[in-house]
């Protein structure tokens, strides 16, 4: 359980890291080399693909940050958690729930779903 | 979307089918041959494994049925939906959310999470 929680912390840190080199380092600690990410709005594969995908998302939502909005549930090698996207100390403009499969301590797949569509 | 909805209808029909032969037929229409199912309480693989797993669950919760409790969301080849377990016309005793990957019209994987723990 704590491993899943630490992995989700890294996962959100990657979404919030504006520096591409630092973000790629965090992505490499978060995802396996062959990892895939997919949600209704975007998808990416591998460390470079996921790093670039996050950069494109950050450009769409300047000034907003991702934060954990649930417990991190874990069973077998699967994890579920919810996040929200919000300005610092502000109300969320989007919410979602991600389901990840952990392989050797890193995410092999993440599938995201939106619970509240981005309104900005 | 409609394909995902029809697949979820079959999925729930399998959970509610007490006859093992009929359940296995529904399972074969719902899951690929190599499919895996896993949630916090049980797991099964392949048509025979999933058919037996559902039978064991039914024995634990006699008189209860699974019913859809959300929209069926779908993006790319992924689907999310929530269900509840309840007596006919009664209040739910358990709720969960399942995430499935669809491969060639059937579930290749289903990962389940519990939103309300069974209380019976």
């Amino acid at each position: 359980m704590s491993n899943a929680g630490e992995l989700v912390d890294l996962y959100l840190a990657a979404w919030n890291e504006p520096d591409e080199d630092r973000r790629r380092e965090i992505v490499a600690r978060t995802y396996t080399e062959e990892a895939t990410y997919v949600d209704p709005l975007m998808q990416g594969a591998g460390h470079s693909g996921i790093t670039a995908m996050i950069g494109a998302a950050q450009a769409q939502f300047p000034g907003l940050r991702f934060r954990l909005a649930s417990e991190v549930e874990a069973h077998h090698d699967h994890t579920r958690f919810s996040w929200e996207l919000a300005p610092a100390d502000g109300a969320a403009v989007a919410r979602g729930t991600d389901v990840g499969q952990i392989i050797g301590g890193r995410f092999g797949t993440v599938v995201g779903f939106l619970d509240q569509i981005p309104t900005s």
Side-chain angles (χ1 to χ4, degrees), chain A:
Chain A
M1 291 286 180
S2 70
N3 283 353
E6 290 166 19
L7 187 58
V8 171
D9 286 345
L10 274 179
Y11 172 88
L12 292 170
W15 279 99
N16 288 326
E17 176 53 63
D19 182 88
E20 186 165 348
D21 288 341
R22 281 200 294 267
R23 188 168 65 246
R24 197 181 189 292
E25 284 172 26
I26 302 171
V27 163
R29 294 165 59 199
T30 307
Y31 298 88
T32 65
E33 280 73 7
E34 304 76 23
T36 58
Y37 174 96
V38 62
D39 72 22
L41 304 177
M42 64 190 98
Q43 52 187 311
H47 294 168
S48 296
I50 292 169
T51 299
M53 176 193 77
I54 293 174
Q58 290 172 345
Q60 271 190 286
F61 303 111
L64 302 178
R65 292 177 67 81
F66 290 89
R67 62 191 183 204
L68 189 63
S70 73
E71 292 181 33
V72 175
E73 294 170 71
H75 70 79
H76 303 85
D77 52 352
H78 300 283
T79 300
R80 177 174 72 160
F81 58 94
S82 297
W83 51 265
E84 53 189 28
L85 178 67
D89 303 320
V93 301
R95 297 170 201 274
T97 298
D98 291 351
V99 172
Q101 182 169 20
I102 300 173
I103 299 173
R106 295 184 293 175
F107 283 128
T109 62
V110 175
V111 179
F113 295 90
L114 293 175
D115 299 320
Q116 175 191 330
I117 305 292
T119 51
S120 69

